[in-house]
Amino acid sequence: MSILVCGSIAYDTIMVFHDQFKRHILPEQIHILNVSFLVPDMRREFGGCAGNIAYNLGLLGADPLIMATVGDDAGPYRLHLERLGLRQDCVRLVPGSFTAQAFITTDLDDNQITAFHPGAMSQSHLNRVQDAAGVKLGIVSPDGRDGMLNHVAQFAGAGIPFIFDPGQGMPLFSGEELLHCLKLANYCTVNDYEVRLLCERTGCSQEQLAGMVDALIVTLGPEGSRIYADGSHIEIPVAPPDEVVDPTGCGDAYRAGLLYGIANGFDWERTGRLASLMGSIKIASRGGQNHAPSRDEISARFRAAFGETLW
């Protein structure tokens, strides 16, 4: 079964300022702010929601198909995907553009200043779900606004079940547009902050939102997650991580677990626990794609965390 992962491919440039921002920003002079921070530590990571989700699906042994747009600078990322054996049939080059990228500066208090350039991501509407062959399941994760709306409609039109994952793209949509997407989707996943924002934007309660889809999955950080399905809800415990290093990409790893469980006919409890485990494995490494457990290691971790076999 092919899983179509619609979303962003992005570079994340992460820098560390060896001081506190607050020591260099004068509140009374904020109207004429002009600051520069020396950042001796810098690293560049492969990221983006589609890239991260597909990476984690690959770890699970799935064969995902990425649908995304990239710019002229995508060569290193494309080589990375090739080395991983991830298909690029639906990764479209947008000439004259940059690949989406985030520039993140963190101080010693873990405060962050981020600049995000969408680049080729803004042209994601050029991709069409119907151009991907053999797809049986999909996800619409954060991407260009028009692309997300188009892909929701195209999945629904093709009768392909899919997860609507608005994430950080939620501010791009009106309440009416969000309701339209939910009514077309089979599943929706958000974190605890996003579900409150979704309720506020749509004017619906969480229970009403859950009634619009086969399953509403809400992640709760260190408190685990909750899956609303079949008129009830299932509490999913956290799989204890080895250590907490970097939360970047944990949500994407969780979503890969959801997709794998749905695609393989797992019940919701088992699906949620696998998703929880994938997020836990990711949080013990930096960046979105630097963890590399084998399937046997994932299975052993699942057994240790939940007392049952995975496959």
Side-chain angles (χ1 to χ4, degrees), residues 228-272:
Y228 296 85
D230 302 320
S232 61
H233 69 270
I234 303 166
E235 299 290 339
I236 304 297
V238 168
D242 291 337
E243 59 180 325
V244 177
V245 175
D246 181 2
T248 305
C250 287
D252 297 328
Y254 184 99
R255 282 145 180 77
L258 288 179
L259 287 164
Y260 187 90
I262 294 169
N264 287 278
F266 291 3
D267 62 30
W268 281 115
E269 185 167 13
R270 192 178 190 78
T271 296

mmCIF file of all heavy atoms in Angstrom, residues 228-272:
data_model
loop_
_atom_site.group_PDB
_atom_site.id
_atom_site.type_symbol
_atom_site.label_atom_id
_atom_site.label_comp_id
_atom_site.label_asym_id
_atom_site.label_seq_id
_atom_site.Cartn_x
_atom_site.Cartn_y
_atom_site.Cartn_z
ATOM 1 N N TYR A 228 -10.086 10.099 19.876
ATOM 2 C CA TYR A 228 -11.550 10.087 19.912
ATOM 3 C C TYR A 228 -12.034 9.323 18.683
ATOM 4 O O TYR A 228 -11.821 9.750 17.539
ATOM 5 C CB TYR A 228 -12.098 11.507 19.881
ATOM 6 C CG TYR A 228 -11.717 12.340 21.081
ATOM 7 C CD1 TYR A 228 -10.493 13.015 21.115
ATOM 8 C CD2 TYR A 228 -12.575 12.476 22.177
ATOM 9 C CE1 TYR A 228 -10.136 13.786 22.215
ATOM 10 C CE2 TYR A 228 -12.228 13.247 23.279
ATOM 11 C CZ TYR A 228 -11.010 13.900 23.287
ATOM 12 O OH TYR A 228 -10.644 14.660 24.372
ATOM 13 N N ALA A 229 -12.678 8.186 18.922
ATOM 14 C CA ALA A 229 -13.180 7.369 17.816
ATOM 15 C C ALA A 229 -14.348 6.522 18.298
ATOM 16 O O ALA A 229 -14.392 6.109 19.458
ATOM 17 C CB ALA A 229 -12.066 6.468 17.277
ATOM 18 N N ASP A 230 -15.291 6.282 17.414
ATOM 19 C CA ASP A 230 -16.431 5.405 17.712
ATOM 20 C C ASP A 230 -17.213 5.857 18.945
ATOM 21 O O ASP A 230 -17.691 5.044 19.745
ATOM 22 C CB ASP A 230 -15.959 3.959 17.901
ATOM 23 C CG ASP A 230 -15.217 3.421 16.684
ATOM 24 O OD1 ASP A 230 -15.661 3.719 15.561
ATOM 25 O OD2 ASP A 230 -14.193 2.730 16.861
ATOM 26 N N GLY A 231 -17.324 7.179 19.126
ATOM 27 C CA GLY A 231 -18.125 7.708 20.221
ATOM 28 C C GLY A 231 -17.483 7.660 21.582
ATOM 29 O O GLY A 231 -18.123 7.967 22.595
ATOM 30 N N SER A 232 -16.218 7.266 21.672
ATOM 31 C CA SER A 232 -15.519 7.229 22.948
ATOM 32 C C SER A 232 -14.091 7.729 22.734
ATOM 33 O O SER A 232 -13.725 8.141 21.627
ATOM 34 C CB SER A 232 -15.513 5.806 23.525
ATOM 35 O OG SER A 232 -14.834 4.931 22.644
ATOM 36 N N HIS A 233 -13.291 7.697 23.794
ATOM 37 C CA HIS A 233 -11.901 8.107 23.610
ATOM 38 C C HIS A 233 -10.962 7.120 24.290
ATOM 39 O O HIS A 233 -11.317 6.455 25.260
ATOM 40 C CB HIS A 233 -11.668 9.531 24.120
ATOM 41 C CG HIS A 233 -11.745 9.674 25.608
ATOM 42 N ND1 HIS A 233 -12.918 9.956 26.281
ATOM 43 C CD2 HIS A 233 -10.784 9.562 26.558
ATOM 44 C CE1 HIS A 233 -12.671 10.030 27.570
ATOM 45 N NE2 HIS A 233 -11.388 9.793 27.779
ATOM 46 N N ILE A 234 -9.766 7.045 23.739
ATOM 47 C CA ILE A 234 -8.735 6.123 24.217
ATOM 48 C C ILE A 234 -7.551 6.943 24.696
ATOM 49 O O ILE A 234 -7.042 7.798 23.961
ATOM 50 C CB ILE A 234 -8.285 5.170 23.095
ATOM 51 C CG1 ILE A 234 -9.486 4.397 22.531
ATOM 52 C CG2 ILE A 234 -7.209 4.213 23.589
ATOM 53 C CD1 ILE A 234 -9.194 3.696 21.228
ATOM 54 N N GLU A 235 -7.112 6.699 25.914
ATOM 55 C CA GLU A 235 -5.940 7.381 26.456
ATOM 56 C C GLU A 235 -4.687 6.591 26.050
ATOM 57 O O GLU A 235 -4.571 5.402 26.331
ATOM 58 C CB GLU A 235 -6.017 7.462 27.982
ATOM 59 C CG GLU A 235 -7.220 8.250 28.506
ATOM 60 C CD GLU A 235 -7.112 9.737 28.233
ATOM 61 O OE1 GLU A 235 -5.987 10.221 28.006
ATOM 62 O OE2 GLU A 235 -8.168 10.414 28.248
ATOM 63 N N ILE A 236 -3.775 7.278 25.393
ATOM 64 C CA ILE A 236 -2.530 6.647 24.942
ATOM 65 C C ILE A 236 -1.387 7.128 25.836
ATOM 66 O O ILE A 236 -1.118 8.327 25.914
ATOM 67 C CB ILE A 236 -2.228 7.011 23.475
ATOM 68 C CG1 ILE A 236 -3.404 6.631 22.560
ATOM 69 C CG2 ILE A 236 -0.936 6.347 23.021
ATOM 70 C CD1 ILE A 236 -3.718 5.162 22.505
ATOM 71 N N PRO A 237 -0.722 6.215 26.524
ATOM 72 C CA PRO A 237 0.369 6.634 27.408
ATOM 73 C C PRO A 237 1.623 7.024 26.641
ATOM 74 O O PRO A 237 1.791 6.674 25.463
ATOM 75 C CB PRO A 237 0.621 5.381 28.253
ATOM 76 C CG PRO A 237 0.227 4.248 27.358
ATOM 77 C CD PRO A 237 -0.935 4.753 26.543
ATOM 78 N N VAL A 238 2.496 7.743 27.308
ATOM 79 C CA VAL A 238 3.794 8.087 26.736
ATOM 80 C C VAL A 238 4.701 6.866 26.775
ATOM 81 O O VAL A 238 4.684 6.100 27.743
ATOM 82 C CB VAL A 238 4.439 9.251 27.528
ATOM 83 C CG1 VAL A 238 5.897 9.426 27.144
ATOM 84 C CG2 VAL A 238 3.676 10.542 27.283
ATOM 85 N N ALA A 239 5.476 6.685 25.723
ATOM 86 C CA ALA A 239 6.553 5.698 25.757
ATOM 87 C C ALA A 239 7.780 6.432 26.286
ATOM 88 O O ALA A 239 8.267 7.354 25.635
ATOM 89 C CB ALA A 239 6.822 5.146 24.359
ATOM 90 N N PRO A 240 8.276 6.089 27.475
ATOM 91 C CA PRO A 240 9.363 6.868 28.086
ATOM 92 C C PRO A 240 10.592 6.944 27.181
ATOM 93 O O PRO A 240 11.094 5.913 26.720
ATOM 94 C CB PRO A 240 9.677 6.088 29.367
ATOM 95 C CG PRO A 240 8.433 5.309 29.653
ATOM 96 C CD PRO A 240 7.865 4.960 28.312
ATOM 97 N N PRO A 241 11.080 8.163 26.885
ATOM 98 C CA PRO A 241 12.276 8.303 26.049
ATOM 99 C C PRO A 241 13.547 7.999 26.838
ATOM 100 O O PRO A 241 13.562 8.093 28.068
ATOM 101 C CB PRO A 241 12.240 9.776 25.628
ATOM 102 C CG PRO A 241 11.541 10.460 26.761
ATOM 103 C CD PRO A 241 10.524 9.477 27.277
ATOM 104 N N ASP A 242 14.611 7.643 26.137
ATOM 105 C CA ASP A 242 15.902 7.424 26.788
ATOM 106 C C ASP A 242 16.397 8.727 27.409
ATOM 107 O O ASP A 242 16.965 8.740 28.491
ATOM 108 C CB ASP A 242 16.925 6.911 25.781
ATOM 109 C CG ASP A 242 16.605 5.498 25.308
ATOM 110 O OD1 ASP A 242 15.903 4.780 26.047
ATOM 111 O OD2 ASP A 242 17.034 5.129 24.210
ATOM 112 N N GLU A 243 16.191 9.838 26.698
ATOM 113 C CA GLU A 243 16.526 11.171 27.175
ATOM 114 C C GLU A 243 15.779 12.172 26.318
ATOM 115 O O GLU A 243 15.294 11.851 25.240
ATOM 116 C CB GLU A 243 18.036 11.433 27.093
ATOM 117 C CG GLU A 243 18.630 11.305 25.703
ATOM 118 C CD GLU A 243 20.118 11.581 25.671
ATOM 119 O OE1 GLU A 243 20.574 12.450 26.445
ATOM 120 O OE2 GLU A 243 20.831 10.953 24.862
ATOM 121 N N VAL A 244 15.663 13.386 26.812
ATOM 122 C CA VAL A 244 15.006 14.446 26.056
ATOM 123 C C VAL A 244 16.090 15.373 25.515
ATOM 124 O O VAL A 244 16.759 16.069 26.274
ATOM 125 C CB VAL A 244 14.006 15.236 26.933
ATOM 126 C CG1 VAL A 244 13.406 16.385 26.136
ATOM 127 C CG2 VAL A 244 12.910 14.310 27.444
ATOM 128 N N VAL A 245 16.278 15.344 24.192
ATOM 129 C CA VAL A 245 17.326 16.139 23.556
ATOM 130 C C VAL A 245 16.741 17.284 22.754
ATOM 131 O O VAL A 245 17.136 18.440 22.913
ATOM 132 C CB VAL A 245 18.213 15.249 22.651
ATOM 133 C CG1 VAL A 245 19.232 16.091 21.891
ATOM 134 C CG2 VAL A 245 18.921 14.185 23.486
ATOM 135 N N ASP A 246 15.767 16.978 21.876
ATOM 136 C CA ASP A 246 15.243 17.998 20.971
ATOM 137 C C ASP A 246 13.855 17.564 20.500
ATOM 138 O O ASP A 246 13.709 16.508 19.892
ATOM 139 C CB ASP A 246 16.192 18.148 19.777
ATOM 140 C CG ASP A 246 15.754 19.204 18.778
ATOM 141 O OD1 ASP A 246 14.720 19.866 19.007
ATOM 142 O OD2 ASP A 246 16.439 19.368 17.757
ATOM 143 N N PRO A 247 12.818 18.379 20.771
ATOM 144 C CA PRO A 247 11.464 17.988 20.357
ATOM 145 C C PRO A 247 11.175 18.212 18.870
ATOM 146 O O PRO A 247 10.116 17.811 18.384
ATOM 147 C CB PRO A 247 10.579 18.894 21.217
ATOM 148 C CG PRO A 247 11.408 20.127 21.439
ATOM 149 C CD PRO A 247 12.830 19.626 21.554
ATOM 150 N N THR A 248 12.102 18.839 18.145
ATOM 151 C CA THR A 248 11.869 19.125 16.727
ATOM 152 C C THR A 248 11.550 17.846 15.960
ATOM 153 O O THR A 248 12.331 16.894 15.974
ATOM 154 C CB THR A 248 13.106 19.794 16.089
ATOM 155 O OG1 THR A 248 13.451 20.949 16.831
ATOM 156 C CG2 THR A 248 12.828 20.174 14.651
ATOM 157 N N GLY A 249 10.409 17.822 15.300
ATOM 158 C CA GLY A 249 10.042 16.668 14.478
ATOM 159 C C GLY A 249 9.335 15.545 15.211
ATOM 160 O O GLY A 249 8.964 14.541 14.594
ATOM 161 N N CYS A 250 9.104 15.706 16.534
ATOM 162 C CA CYS A 250 8.424 14.631 17.276
ATOM 163 C C CYS A 250 6.994 14.418 16.776
ATOM 164 O O CYS A 250 6.525 13.287 16.677
ATOM 165 C CB CYS A 250 8.403 14.949 18.770
ATOM 166 S SG CYS A 250 9.999 14.755 19.566
ATOM 167 N N GLY A 251 6.306 15.522 16.481
ATOM 168 C CA GLY A 251 4.944 15.414 15.971
ATOM 169 C C GLY A 251 4.890 14.687 14.643
ATOM 170 O O GLY A 251 3.970 13.899 14.380
ATOM 171 N N ASP A 252 5.887 14.924 13.790
ATOM 172 C CA ASP A 252 5.934 14.237 12.497
ATOM 173 C C ASP A 252 6.194 12.748 12.676
ATOM 174 O O ASP A 252 5.619 11.917 11.973
ATOM 175 C CB ASP A 252 7.019 14.863 11.619
ATOM 176 C CG ASP A 252 6.742 16.325 11.287
ATOM 177 O OD1 ASP A 252 5.559 16.684 11.177
ATOM 178 O OD2 ASP A 252 7.709 17.088 11.148
ATOM 179 N N ALA A 253 7.074 12.405 13.625
ATOM 180 C CA ALA A 253 7.334 10.992 13.902
ATOM 181 C C ALA A 253 6.062 10.314 14.410
ATOM 182 O O ALA A 253 5.750 9.170 14.034
ATOM 183 C CB ALA A 253 8.459 10.860 14.926
ATOM 184 N N TYR A 254 5.324 11.014 15.280
ATOM 185 C CA TYR A 254 4.053 10.492 15.795
ATOM 186 C C TYR A 254 3.091 10.224 14.633
ATOM 187 O O TYR A 254 2.435 9.172 14.580
ATOM 188 C CB TYR A 254 3.456 11.511 16.766
ATOM 189 C CG TYR A 254 2.181 11.061 17.457
ATOM 190 C CD1 TYR A 254 2.219 10.561 18.751
ATOM 191 C CD2 TYR A 254 0.943 11.159 16.825
ATOM 192 C CE1 TYR A 254 1.052 10.153 19.398
ATOM 193 C CE2 TYR A 254 -0.225 10.753 17.450
ATOM 194 C CZ TYR A 254 -0.168 10.257 18.736
ATOM 195 O OH TYR A 254 -1.322 9.852 19.363
ATOM 196 N N ARG A 255 3.017 11.142 13.692
ATOM 197 C CA ARG A 255 2.098 10.991 12.561
ATOM 198 C C ARG A 255 2.484 9.822 11.665
ATOM 199 O O ARG A 255 1.612 9.159 11.089
ATOM 200 C CB ARG A 255 2.027 12.307 11.783
ATOM 201 C CG ARG A 255 1.134 13.320 12.488
ATOM 202 C CD ARG A 255 1.619 14.754 12.336
ATOM 203 N NE ARG A 255 0.718 15.676 13.026
ATOM 204 C CZ ARG A 255 0.696 15.859 14.361
ATOM 205 N NH1 ARG A 255 1.529 15.167 15.132
ATOM 206 N NH2 ARG A 255 -0.137 16.727 14.909
ATOM 207 N N ALA A 256 3.776 9.552 11.558
ATOM 208 C CA ALA A 256 4.207 8.374 10.805
ATOM 209 C C ALA A 256 3.680 7.104 11.458
ATOM 210 O O ALA A 256 3.234 6.173 10.773
ATOM 211 C CB ALA A 256 5.736 8.344 10.723
ATOM 212 N N GLY A 257 3.710 7.063 12.796
ATOM 213 C CA GLY A 257 3.157 5.917 13.501
ATOM 214 C C GLY A 257 1.669 5.755 13.257
ATOM 215 O O GLY A 257 1.165 4.628 13.077
ATOM 216 N N LEU A 258 0.945 6.868 13.247
ATOM 217 C CA LEU A 258 -0.484 6.813 12.946
ATOM 218 C C LEU A 258 -0.732 6.222 11.563
ATOM 219 O O LEU A 258 -1.568 5.323 11.386
ATOM 220 C CB LEU A 258 -1.094 8.221 12.996
ATOM 221 C CG LEU A 258 -1.271 8.912 14.338
ATOM 222 C CD1 LEU A 258 -1.880 10.300 14.131
ATOM 223 C CD2 LEU A 258 -2.146 8.093 15.284
ATOM 224 N N LEU A 259 -0.022 6.754 10.569
ATOM 225 C CA LEU A 259 -0.219 6.301 9.199
ATOM 226 C C LEU A 259 0.102 4.809 9.058
ATOM 227 O O LEU A 259 -0.630 4.070 8.394
ATOM 228 C CB LEU A 259 0.661 7.119 8.247
ATOM 229 C CG LEU A 259 0.198 8.555 7.993
ATOM 230 C CD1 LEU A 259 1.327 9.369 7.379
ATOM 231 C CD2 LEU A 259 -1.030 8.578 7.075
ATOM 232 N N TYR A 260 1.190 4.377 9.685
ATOM 233 C CA TYR A 260 1.571 2.970 9.587
ATOM 234 C C TYR A 260 0.500 2.082 10.227
ATOM 235 O O TYR A 260 0.123 1.046 9.661
ATOM 236 C CB TYR A 260 2.914 2.742 10.270
ATOM 237 C CG TYR A 260 3.458 1.342 10.055
ATOM 238 C CD1 TYR A 260 4.274 1.052 8.958
ATOM 239 C CD2 TYR A 260 3.123 0.300 10.922
ATOM 240 C CE1 TYR A 260 4.752 -0.239 8.753
ATOM 241 C CE2 TYR A 260 3.597 -0.983 10.722
ATOM 242 C CZ TYR A 260 4.403 -1.250 9.630
ATOM 243 O OH TYR A 260 4.871 -2.521 9.426
ATOM 244 N N GLY A 261 0.009 2.494 11.387
ATOM 245 C CA GLY A 261 -1.017 1.704 12.065
ATOM 246 C C GLY A 261 -2.303 1.611 11.266
ATOM 247 O O GLY A 261 -2.895 0.528 11.130
ATOM 248 N N ILE A 262 -2.748 2.742 10.716
ATOM 249 C CA ILE A 262 -3.970 2.749 9.900
ATOM 250 C C ILE A 262 -3.779 1.873 8.668
ATOM 251 O O ILE A 262 -4.646 1.057 8.314
ATOM 252 C CB ILE A 262 -4.342 4.189 9.491
ATOM 253 C CG1 ILE A 262 -4.717 5.010 10.730
ATOM 254 C CG2 ILE A 262 -5.486 4.188 8.480
ATOM 255 C CD1 ILE A 262 -4.833 6.508 10.453
ATOM 256 N N ALA A 263 -2.635 2.041 7.992
ATOM 257 C CA ALA A 263 -2.374 1.300 6.755
ATOM 258 C C ALA A 263 -2.321 -0.202 6.986
ATOM 259 O O ALA A 263 -2.671 -0.992 6.099
ATOM 260 C CB ALA A 263 -1.069 1.781 6.123
ATOM 261 N N ASN A 264 -1.909 -0.611 8.187
ATOM 262 C CA ASN A 264 -1.745 -2.042 8.468
ATOM 263 C C ASN A 264 -2.872 -2.634 9.307
ATOM 264 O O ASN A 264 -2.759 -3.752 9.803
ATOM 265 C CB ASN A 264 -0.393 -2.270 9.148
ATOM 266 C CG ASN A 264 0.763 -2.131 8.184
ATOM 267 O OD1 ASN A 264 1.096 -3.064 7.458
ATOM 268 N ND2 ASN A 264 1.362 -0.948 8.137
ATOM 269 N N GLY A 265 -3.968 -1.883 9.455
ATOM 270 C CA GLY A 265 -5.153 -2.422 10.106
ATOM 271 C C GLY A 265 -5.054 -2.587 11.607
ATOM 272 O O GLY A 265 -5.804 -3.364 12.195
ATOM 273 N N PHE A 266 -4.132 -1.846 12.270
ATOM 274 C CA PHE A 266 -4.046 -1.907 13.725
ATOM 275 C C PHE A 266 -5.294 -1.282 14.336
ATOM 276 O O PHE A 266 -5.902 -0.387 13.742
ATOM 277 C CB PHE A 266 -2.829 -1.131 14.230
ATOM 278 C CG PHE A 266 -1.486 -1.731 13.900
ATOM 279 C CD1 PHE A 266 -1.373 -2.882 13.126
ATOM 280 C CD2 PHE A 266 -0.323 -1.141 14.364
ATOM 281 C CE1 PHE A 266 -0.136 -3.425 12.820
ATOM 282 C CE2 PHE A 266 0.922 -1.671 14.072
ATOM 283 C CZ PHE A 266 1.018 -2.818 13.300
ATOM 284 N N ASP A 267 -5.669 -1.711 15.536
ATOM 285 C CA ASP A 267 -6.739 -1.002 16.243
ATOM 286 C C ASP A 267 -6.180 0.324 16.751
ATOM 287 O O ASP A 267 -4.969 0.588 16.692
ATOM 288 C CB ASP A 267 -7.326 -1.845 17.365
ATOM 289 C CG ASP A 267 -6.328 -2.212 18.453
ATOM 290 O OD1 ASP A 267 -5.372 -1.440 18.714
ATOM 291 O OD2 ASP A 267 -6.495 -3.280 19.072
ATOM 292 N N TRP A 268 -7.074 1.189 17.266
ATOM 293 C CA TRP A 268 -6.630 2.538 17.623
ATOM 294 C C TRP A 268 -5.663 2.556 18.791
ATOM 295 O O TRP A 268 -4.742 3.383 18.843
ATOM 296 C CB TRP A 268 -7.834 3.441 17.898
ATOM 297 C CG TRP A 268 -8.474 3.924 16.639
ATOM 298 C CD1 TRP A 268 -9.725 3.649 16.185
ATOM 299 C CD2 TRP A 268 -7.864 4.748 15.642
ATOM 300 N NE1 TRP A 268 -9.949 4.247 14.964
ATOM 301 C CE2 TRP A 268 -8.820 4.929 14.607
ATOM 302 C CE3 TRP A 268 -6.610 5.341 15.505
ATOM 303 C CZ2 TRP A 268 -8.558 5.692 13.475
ATOM 304 C CZ3 TRP A 268 -6.339 6.098 14.363
ATOM 305 C CH2 TRP A 268 -7.305 6.264 13.366
ATOM 306 N N GLU A 269 -5.837 1.652 19.737
ATOM 307 C CA GLU A 269 -4.915 1.637 20.876
ATOM 308 C C GLU A 269 -3.503 1.276 20.428
ATOM 309 O O GLU A 269 -2.523 1.911 20.819
ATOM 310 C CB GLU A 269 -5.402 0.658 21.947
ATOM 311 C CG GLU A 269 -4.536 0.687 23.202
ATOM 312 C CD GLU A 269 -5.187 -0.032 24.373
ATOM 313 O OE1 GLU A 269 -6.176 -0.755 24.145
ATOM 314 O OE2 GLU A 269 -4.703 0.145 25.503
ATOM 315 N N ARG A 270 -3.404 0.272 19.594
ATOM 316 C CA ARG A 270 -2.100 -0.154 19.093
ATOM 317 C C ARG A 270 -1.489 0.921 18.191
ATOM 318 O O ARG A 270 -0.281 1.203 18.256
ATOM 319 C CB ARG A 270 -2.278 -1.465 18.333
ATOM 320 C CG ARG A 270 -1.001 -2.199 17.983
ATOM 321 C CD ARG A 270 -1.388 -3.498 17.267
ATOM 322 N NE ARG A 270 -0.259 -4.380 17.083
ATOM 323 C CZ ARG A 270 0.257 -5.145 18.027
ATOM 324 N NH1 ARG A 270 -0.260 -5.116 19.244
ATOM 325 N NH2 ARG A 270 1.288 -5.934 17.792
ATOM 326 N N THR A 271 -2.322 1.521 17.366
ATOM 327 C CA THR A 271 -1.854 2.592 16.476
ATOM 328 C C THR A 271 -1.312 3.766 17.288
ATOM 329 O O THR A 271 -0.233 4.302 16.996
ATOM 330 C CB THR A 271 -3.001 3.057 15.567
ATOM 331 O OG1 THR A 271 -3.398 1.976 14.715
ATOM 332 C CG2 THR A 271 -2.578 4.242 14.705
ATOM 333 N N GLY A 272 -2.068 4.181 18.303
ATOM 334 C CA GLY A 272 -1.637 5.290 19.136
ATOM 335 C C GLY A 272 -0.353 4.995 19.884
ATOM 336 O O GLY A 272 0.518 5.865 20.034
#
